[in-house]
Amino acid sequence: CFLDTTTTTPNTVLELDWPSLVTEVGPGIYEFDLFSHHFCNALIDEVDAFDLSKLPCRRPNTMNKLGLVVNDMGLEPIMTCILERLVAPMCKALYPEEEICSALDHHHSFVVRYRTKTGDNDDGSSGLDMHHDASEATLNVCLGRDDFTSGGLRFCGHHGDANHRKTQLVHSHHKGRAILHLGRHRHGADNITSGERN
């Protein structure tokens, strides 16, 4: 994934100038293009089909009512590829003082759906309260879906720091774009005001 397979093997980890490939949108918060719109649409179609199948699936966590763990759909190999060939080397370069980011070897990959509250549909899935993750690093990718408005990513300080409740940044999410940050960086999803997004 991501690399020219004529010049690399599946286990190749490239030594790239990772900082030149990202934009730092806030302290320790990096944005970059990751997926094409075609890939985003295809992944959403797969998630929707799996959800409609009524096959057993785990919800991603206790905060999100709409979503599923993509490893349960058979997508663990591609998520592992993303971790090993992109996220792990990128984190090692972007967070050199973070010893816990120097050897990432596990992922909990999931998709969450946010939708506008309509009528009796108040399932609490239009946004997500501020929290920190139980991870060394978090990769958040906007898959899009219908046209949506609002739903920005809100960042505060790091869990345990004096400023952990003070808003530092509200960033607009765009289809196919990824946001990378430390897991202890408190963040949330503002409510969307129209449409749906994953």
Side-chain angles (χ1 to χ4, degrees):
C1 63
F2 311 113
L3 304 175
D4 178 359
T5 55
T6 61
T7 59
T8 62
T9 66
N11 295 322
T12 302
V13 175
L14 295 181
E15 294 298 325
L16 297 175
D17 180 14
W18 294 106
S20 72
L21 301 175
V22 301
T23 301
E24 189 170 18
V25 296
I29 305 165
Y30 300 95
E31 182 182 44
F32 54 96
D33 287 318
L34 182 59
F35 296 142
S36 69
H37 285 210
H38 176 76
F39 181 87
C40 292
N41 294 339
L43 183 54
I44 287 171
D45 288 346
E46 287 298 315
V47 168
D48 288 349
F50 189 87
D51 207 27
L52 289 173
S53 74
K54 302 303 179 196
L55 289 168
C57 69
R58 294 177 289 155
R59 295 301 172 203
N61 52 52
T62 59
M63 299 179 294
N64 299 108
K65 296 178 182 178
L66 300 174
L68 54 89
V69 176
V70 296
N71 291 356
D72 294 347
M73 300 171 41
L75 295 179
E76 187 170 4
I78 192 169
M79 296 302 134
T80 299
C81 179
I82 292 169
L83 170 69
E84 292 175 351
R85 299 181 78 184
L86 178 77
V87 177
M90 188 178 279
C91 283
K92 190 173 183 179
L94 297 176
Y95 305 110
E97 291 83 31
E98 297 289 334
E99 186 64 34
I100 59 172
C101 286
S102 65
L104 301 179
D105 61 0
H106 182 73
H107 60 88
H108 176 61
S109 303
F110 57 89
V111 175
V112 173
R113 177 183 289 181
Y114 298 102
R115 64 183 180 193
T116 309
K117 295 177 182 178
T118 56
D120 292 333
N121 169 29
D122 185 9
D123 56 16
S125 297
S126 59
L128 184 61
D129 289 338
M130 296 300 293
H131 64 283
H132 66 278
D133 294 334
S135 65
E136 290 83 6
T138 296
L139 181 70
N140 184 319
V141 184
C142 180
L143 299 179
R145 193 172 281 275
D146 298 336
D147 290 334
F148 64 91
T149 54
S150 300
L153 293 176
R154 183 173 298 274
F155 289 90
C156 291
H158 291 171
H159 176 69
D161 288 355
N163 69 344
H164 75 281
R165 294 192 184 276
K166 184 176 180 188
T167 298
Q168 292 180 344
L169 171 75
V170 178
H171 188 72
S172 296
H173 231 347
H174 300 284
K175 188 171 188 170
R177 302 274 295 165
I179 297 286
L180 179 70
H181 59 88
L182 295 175
R184 70 175 184 272
H185 206 138
R186 286 177 45 82
H187 58 284
D190 288 347
N191 289 345
I192 63 171
T193 56
S194 67
E196 292 187 18
R197 79 167 172 89
N198 286 91

